[in-house]
Every structure is written in C-alpha cells, then in structure tokens.
Amino acid sequence: MTSSRGHQGAHGTGQIEEQLNNQAEAAEKIQGLNKADVEINAAANSKSSELDEIIDD
C-alpha cells in the first residue's frame, strides 16, 4: 500500500503510460505505421525541443 496520495498518483501514472505504450505497440503491429505516426514518434522521442534554443544553460 502506498504511503501518500502523491506517491499513489505517480505510480498510477506510470502504469497508465506503460499501458498506453503497450496499446500503441500492439496497434503498430496490427496496422503498421502511417506518416503521422512516424512523425509523432520522432517528435516524442526527440531529445531536444524548441525551448532548448531559447533557454541558455
């Protein structure tokens, strides 16, 4: 059992993300990828963003 609501929420969020990823992978295997899917995956897995150009380290 979790010790706080915040911890419980974080754990639940991780489970939801994992389930969504599993569903996306299953759909990809069944349907294949279309151009939009490829672009979304590339953007989601990108290590940089437009904010990187604005924010100075």
Side-chain angles (χ1 to χ4, degrees):
M1 183 169 252
T2 59
S3 59
S4 71
R5 286 181 175 237
H7 179 77
Q8 183 178 11
H11 184 68
T13 301
Q15 289 177 329
I16 292 168
E17 289 176 353
E18 182 178 349
Q19 180 62 32
L20 289 173
N21 284 334
N22 291 341
Q23 289 175 354
E25 289 175 8
E28 179 183 334
K29 288 179 183 177
I30 294 168
Q31 301 171 0
L33 288 177
N34 63 34
K35 183 179 178 184
D37 291 333
V38 172
E39 291 173 357
I40 291 169
N41 284 339
N45 294 317
S46 174
K47 299 295 182 198
S48 64
S49 72
E50 293 174 2
L51 291 177
D52 291 336
E53 297 173 11
I54 299 170
I55 300 172
D56 291 327
D57 290 325

